[in-house]
Amino acid sequence: MDRKKLVLIGNGMAGMNTVETILKLSDRKFDITVFGSEPHPNYNRILLSSVLAGSARVEDIVINPLEWYAENGIRLHTGETVTAVDPASRTLRTDKGRTEAYDELILATGSLPFMLPLPGADKEGVIAFRDIKDCETMIETAKHHRKAAVIGGGLLGLEAARGLLNLGMEVSVIHICDYLMERQLDAPASKMLRAELERQGMSFLLSKQTKAILGDARVTGVEFADGTSVDADLVVMAVGIRPNVSLAKESGIGVNRGIVVNDYMQTDQPHIYAVGECAEHNGMVYGLVAPLYEQGAVLAKTLCGTETPPYRGSVLSTKLKVSGVDVFSAGEFVDGEDTQAVCVHDEWNGVYKKVLLRNRRIIGGVLFGDTSEGSTLFRLIRTGAEMTPELHASLVGGPSAKSGAPVNAAAAMAPDELICGCNGVTKETIVRAIREQGLTSVDAVKGCTGASRSCGGCKPLVGQLLEHVLGDGFETPVKETVCSCTTLSRDELVEAIREKRLTHMREVMNVLGWSTEEGCSKCRPALNYYLAMVWPDEYEDAKASRFVNERMHANIQHNGTYSVVPRMYGGVTSPSELRRIADAAEKYGVKMVKVTGGQRLDLLGVKKEDLPSIWADLDMPSGWAYGKALRTVKTCVGADFCRFGTQNSIQMGIDIEKKYERLNTPAKVKMAVSGCPRNCAESGIKDLGVVAVDGGWELYAGGNGGVKLRGGDLLCKVKTSEEVMDITGAYLQFYRETGNYGERTSEWVVRIGLDTIREAVVENTANRQALLTRVEKVLEKLTDPWKDVINNRPKYADLYDGISVASE
């Protein structure tokens, strides 16, 4: 049966959550194409503040990496904006001249930040806080400037201010109202929040109407209507968002404030739907994640032909952490003539609770400092529950008030109460998953149910629920399992593979009681590695379990093309190789030839279908720039050319790279050899660094020059080149046998200890020899993957004919 063509415009959380639900309902129904204007895969926009605050990296907030799209047969076009939709012909056009046909179309264009139309708002240094680019701009600005002004005292503005404080800037928050977060908090709660944030270092300018942005080309300050001003090198506008409806409007699709949809998220045009912040339902547009996911669930079922109740709108609640302070808000919270309030105002402990009643029924509330009753309060608001003495004691006194015992709020919740409001996961769903799937950790619950996947605010509740369900079986801390498919840790898994002599992936899953039939994207690559490590002679690599880069033997780029990096041993090349590289670059229209940090040449922008041909024309070994393996051995010119050099570092680097190239390891491995202690090859920040000294060599372990910068630890000092080669081989094999899949040596050295490594690969010579014997067995079987593909037509077809990845 031919699949229908489903096109999604917008690679954000709402649209991709819809696609994920569609895949769960029917992964064979649609041929899916996604267009996203940003040059990134789908990421969690809620966590941008964590990136800005320095507690997360950009890659940490990615929801679906590029490999996920490829593995699910989705064509993703990043950095490409749809400019027109023609409902009559069911086609769309993009800013890159592409025309795409569709059977069903989802608009998930999100929203745009509102920029105040002030004089000077176009100056350099005036930005919004909406995407990764804004984060990067703020981080870069903080390196060169000192003062920042954030316009907007709402949640977004305060998150931006907190992040800028972390970056070392002096921050002034400007707000037109006389108290902060007036949409979520009443005046007493806002006052407590302000006091806490001032204690953290923020300054506030309240009841201030901004008049102009000061400065010449770059901003120097902000002027107010009362004639005062504040200095600023950076101005962040965080004053709200508005639905992005321009594409729909220009394409003749009905819009009001947002794109108008019915109860099944259909627009006024056949086969066109809208979901998320761009959609308007019954006059409402939503900016919180929970309503967007509720809309997506209805739309996914509608498209898949699954019966679903209509979308009737969402009751809003906000549970968040502002600069370390827990805040919950839902329903009405401002006192009126016909309302009654039940309050606890404890400034000593920083706790404020307010429940608002109308005709004795609960209509809203605010919790500050202690939000453990938030889910219960939200349920009572949604059901319009009547206040009773028992509820009164529970909500404002807390169940622990009488006994003094610690509160397990999750245990007291009703089965249908939401634990994770972001993803609509109830207590009942989590409890069932814990019992039926044998889950024992918060991460396992997240992987199985989606709870805590977005903002993460419900993690404490999930932990309480685990404790409540597992009782004495709940261990704190819970061991780290390989993934949510198993209760086994890495060490338990490897030991079981050895003891039970398990040699196939399916066998491991069956014998060791995997909770899923096929495993998941986390355990399958890990299992593939561990099986190959334990049984190098007999295990046959499961190509399908490798990530797409390793399957394709090239790195996929954001636009669907690939980069090709041929091997240059020790960073040394020749005129002949350079000519072949130049000829290949011209022949295949390579977008850029880039010198890498590992002293190689990277050919960027190669089309998928050209990969085998360009490898054949280059006639050079694969550089493994895509794999969890030895990548490069960087060298300086050494004693042959440098007047400071004490040893032949180039030859040592070439020998190491030729010996251990292609060796699979738990994570990528980078090495360097320096000809003297001046360390021009940067050996001190490599997974294994070799430094020539008078009369010998020093070896350094566990260095890292990446995100987690770490200087290598001195492992040993040896006299001969042969000893360097042997200890390098033993070190790599010991890492292979004891490292967790995905764990860099910088983490591994810290986890198991330098003394343990030194004893295993340096001091215990018998053990070193045993490690070398085992690594030699592995090396004997390794071949160059590019040549394998070029010379094996069935393998070529298997690798490249069935992959559906973004393409130009």
Side-chain angles (χ1 to χ4, degrees):
M1 184 180 69
D2 291 337
R3 297 186 186 187
K4 296 176 73 174
K5 288 182 66 66
L6 173 66
V7 175
L8 168 65
I9 302 176
N11 191 28
M13 295 174 69
M16 286 311 302
N17 182 264
T18 306
V19 168
E20 287 182 35
T21 307
I22 288 172
L23 292 174
K24 291 175 183 174
L25 293 171
S26 176
D27 63 351
R28 307 292 297 173
K29 189 177 182 69
F30 293 105
D31 178 23
I32 301 174
T33 300
V34 178
F35 290 92
S37 296
E38 290 190 67
H40 306 285
N42 175 232
Y43 64 88
N44 190 336
R45 198 179 299 277
I46 298 170
L47 298 180
L48 278 176
S49 57
S50 300
V51 175
L52 186 60
S55 59
R57 301 167 298 175
V58 169
E59 52 265 39
D60 294 332
I61 68 172
V62 169
I63 299 175
N64 298 307
L66 292 173
E67 292 86 352
W68 179 88
Y69 293 86
E71 288 161 2
N72 286 282
I74 298 171
R75 280 180 294 279
L76 170 65
H77 302 286
T78 57
E80 188 164 350
T81 302
V82 176
T83 55
V85 175
D86 182 359
S89 64
R90 293 195 204 174
T91 58
L92 57 82
R93 293 196 307 278
T94 75
D95 61 352
K96 292 189 176 179
R98 189 192 310 271
T99 299
E100 188 86 21
Y102 66 84
D103 296 310
E104 309 289 351
L105 177 66
I106 301 174
L107 301 175
T109 49
S111 58
L112 299 171
F114 180 68
M115 300 294 285
L116 294 172
L118 298 171
D122 58 347
K123 295 184 188 302
E124 183 184 356
V126 181
I127 63 171
F129 180 33
R130 183 62 182 163
D131 54 28
I132 288 174
K133 184 180 178 184
D134 293 330
C135 275
E136 292 171 343
T137 300
M138 284 189 259
I139 292 169
E140 187 61 27
T141 302
K143 296 176 182 175
H144 309 288
H145 298 281
R146 191 163 57 90
K147 294 187 175 181
V150 177
I151 303 178
L155 172 62
L156 197 62
L158 297 180
E159 286 182 336
R162 179 64 258 178
L164 291 167
L165 270 182
N166 283 15
L167 293 171
M169 299 194 81
E170 298 174 15
V171 183
S172 299
V173 177
I174 301 162
H175 198 40
I176 195 169
C177 297
D178 58 357
Y179 67 85
L180 303 171
M181 290 186 64
E182 71 280 358
R183 292 186 179 181
Q184 290 86 20
L185 303 179
D186 62 358
S190 177
K191 179 185 173 186
M192 295 174 73
L193 176 64
R194 176 182 172 181
E196 170 59 26
L197 297 181
E198 285 177 334
R199 189 188 63 76
Q200 295 180 16
M202 288 186 206
S203 299
F204 294 97
L205 298 168
L206 303 180
S207 302
K208 288 286 188 181
Q209 184 174 358
T210 309
K211 180 181 178 182
I213 306 297
L214 304 176
D216 294 324
R218 184 179 182 85
V219 59
T220 58
V222 179
E223 182 182 4
F224 304 111
D226 61 7
T228 61
S229 63
V230 62
D231 294 339
D233 306 306
L234 172 73
V235 172
V236 180
M237 289 196 187
V239 292
I241 56 175
R242 56 186 177 188
N244 183 5
V245 300
S246 57
L247 173 65
K249 188 175 183 180
E250 292 166 6
S251 302
I253 300 166
V255 303
N256 189 21
R257 204 151 56 99
I259 303 169
V260 179
V261 296
N262 63 16
D263 291 349
Y264 295 90
M265 313 315 294
Q266 295 171 316
T267 70
D268 62 357
Q269 295 294 326
H271 306 286
I272 299 180
Y273 306 81
V275 67
E277 294 176 343
C278 66
E280 177 180 329
H281 175 265
N282 278 345
M284 288 289 294
V285 292
Y286 297 92
L288 298 175
V289 68
L292 314 188
Y293 286 179
E294 291 172 16
Q295 295 174 359
V298 172
L299 175 54
K301 290 178 181 175
T302 301
L303 288 170
C304 292
T306 303
E307 187 175 351
T308 176
Y311 177 69
R312 296 298 193 192
S314 300
V315 178
L316 297 180
S317 71
T318 306
K319 185 174 183 179
L320 37 87
K321 189 179 284 291
V322 184
S323 217
V325 181
D326 290 318
V327 175
F328 171 86
S329 170
E332 299 182 40
F333 56 83
V334 178
D335 297 312
E337 293 183 356
D338 60 343
T339 62
Q340 291 178 296
V342 178
C343 292
V344 171
H345 192 170
D346 181 355
E347 291 187 283
W348 175 259
N349 287 312
V351 173
Y352 176 74
K353 298 181 179 182
K354 175 181 178 180
V355 180
L356 204 62
L357 312 175
R358 181 179 288 119
N359 300 325
R360 298 181 60 83
R361 295 196 177 276
I362 299 172
I363 59 172
V366 174
L367 304 175
F368 180 92
D370 176 6
T371 60
S372 58
E373 303 292 338
S375 295
T376 300
L377 179 57
F378 186 47
R379 177 176 61 85
L380 298 173
I381 294 168
R382 290 203 304 176
T383 58
E386 187 173 354
M387 179 61 84
T388 64
E390 291 77 18
L391 283 179
H392 183 282
S394 173
L395 289 172
V396 298
S400 66
K402 296 177 181 176
S403 65
V407 177
N408 189 322
M413 293 172 66
D416 62 344
E417 281 192 62
L418 286 173
I419 293 285
C420 177
C422 295
N423 296 296
V425 185
T426 65
K427 173 184 174 181
E428 186 176 30
T429 300
I430 296 174
V431 169
R432 186 168 59 247
I434 292 171
R435 288 174 174 157
E436 295 180 357
Q437 306 295 328
L439 309 181
T440 59
S441 71
V442 174
D443 280 344
V445 172
K446 179 174 73 173
C448 185
T449 68
S452 77
R453 178 180 167 184
S454 295
C455 74
C458 63
K459 282 184 177 179
L461 277 179
V462 175
Q464 289 178 11
L465 211 48
L466 280 161
E467 184 178 5
H468 172 64
V469 174
L470 298 177
D472 293 339
F474 180 70
E475 300 176 4
T476 306
V478 179
K479 71 181 178 186
E480 185 175 352
T481 61
V482 173
C483 71
S484 60
C485 302
T486 178
T487 59
L488 298 175
S489 67
R490 179 265 182 209
D491 290 344
E492 290 170 337
L493 172 62
V494 172
E495 185 179 356
I497 288 173
R498 283 199 172 102
E499 283 188 353
K500 299 179 186 298
R501 201 170 168 72
L502 307 176
T503 57
H504 300 284
M505 196 172 296
R506 176 84 56 188
E507 188 181 17
V508 171
M509 294 179 182
N510 288 337
V511 173
L512 301 182
W514 240 241
S515 63
T516 54
E517 187 176 349
E518 300 292 337
C520 68
S521 59
K522 187 174 181 180
C523 67
R524 289 185 65 84
L527 263 180
N528 188 47
Y529 171 79
Y530 293 138
L531 283 164
M533 182 269 291
V534 175
W535 311 118
D537 289 332
E538 52 196 286
Y539 180 68
E540 187 171 343
D541 187 41
K543 301 289 184 188
S545 295
R546 288 186 176 269
F547 292 116
V548 65
N549 287 346
E550 291 182 297
R551 293 205 305 273
M552 302 298 285
H553 305 299
N555 273 324
I556 190 170
Q557 305 297 300
H558 65 79
N559 62 356
T561 62
Y562 289 81
S563 79
V564 170
V565 183
R567 179 77 70 183
M568 291 180 178
Y569 298 102
V572 176
T573 185
S574 67
S576 173
E577 287 183 345
L578 291 173
R579 286 192 192 95
R580 294 204 298 275
I581 290 171
D583 290 344
E586 289 185 347
K587 180 178 179 181
Y588 295 99
V590 167
K591 303 293 184 187
M592 177 180 286
V593 180
K594 174 78 171 62
V595 178
T596 73
Q599 298 180 333
R600 306 190 290 189
L601 291 175
D602 189 350
L603 283 68
L604 293 154
V606 179
K607 296 176 182 176
K608 179 185 64 176
E609 59 269 27
D610 289 339
L611 287 174
S613 300
I614 196 171
W615 296 338
D617 288 354
L618 287 169
D619 193 23
M620 295 170 69
S622 166
W624 283 84
Y626 45 81
K628 290 178 169 50
L630 173 60
R631 297 280 182 91
T632 63
V633 182
K634 189 175 181 178
T635 68
C636 66
V637 295
D640 282 359
F641 297 93
C642 178
R643 60 196 173 98
F644 299 111
T646 61
Q647 303 277 2
N648 189 342
S649 54
I650 294 178
Q651 192 58 52
M652 174 61 76
I654 291 173
D655 291 346
I656 292 174
E657 190 163 356
K658 285 191 171 180
K659 176 76 175 180
Y660 297 109
E661 63 175 321
R662 306 165 192 158
L663 181 66
N664 282 314
T665 44
K668 62 184 175 184
V669 169
K670 296 181 179 181
M671 294 188 188
V673 182
S674 297
C676 78
R678 286 175 173 76
N679 219 338
C680 292
E682 301 169 332
S683 301
I685 54 170
K686 300 299 181 186
D687 294 277
L688 186 67
V690 182
V691 180
V693 295
D694 284 339
W697 303 86
E698 290 179 346
L699 277 70
Y700 291 84
N704 191 318
V707 175
K708 298 178 181 176
L709 186 65
R710 184 179 191 275
D713 299 322
L714 179 60
L715 178 65
C716 62
K717 183 175 179 179
V718 297
K719 292 182 178 178
T720 68
S721 299
E722 289 74 18
E723 289 175 290
V724 173
M725 292 296 292
D726 282 355
I727 290 174
T728 297
Y731 174 83
L732 288 173
Q733 183 62 16
F734 192 52
Y735 171 47
R736 280 168 43 80
E737 294 181 357
T738 57
N740 296 327
Y741 182 75
E743 181 182 45
R744 291 291 300 270
T745 62
S746 54
E747 302 163 313
W748 171 69
V749 167
V750 172
R751 180 171 61 83
I752 71 171
L754 184 67
D755 289 343
T756 303
I757 299 170
R758 186 180 288 128
E759 164 65 20
V761 307
V762 180
E763 296 171 353
N764 187 335
T765 54
N767 191 64
R768 185 201 309 173
Q769 190 54 51
L771 288 166
L772 286 171
T773 301
R774 293 199 289 273
V775 79
E776 287 291 344
K777 273 191 174 182
V778 180
L779 293 171
E780 288 172 2
K781 295 189 64 178
L782 299 179
T783 56
D784 184 77
W786 289 358
K787 284 188 169 53
D788 289 346
V789 172
I790 294 167
N791 299 326
N792 188 327
R793 185 62 199 174
K795 181 175 287 187
Y796 171 89
D798 179 55
L799 280 171
Y800 298 96
D801 289 351
I803 302 295
S804 178
V805 191
S807 60
E808 290 294 312

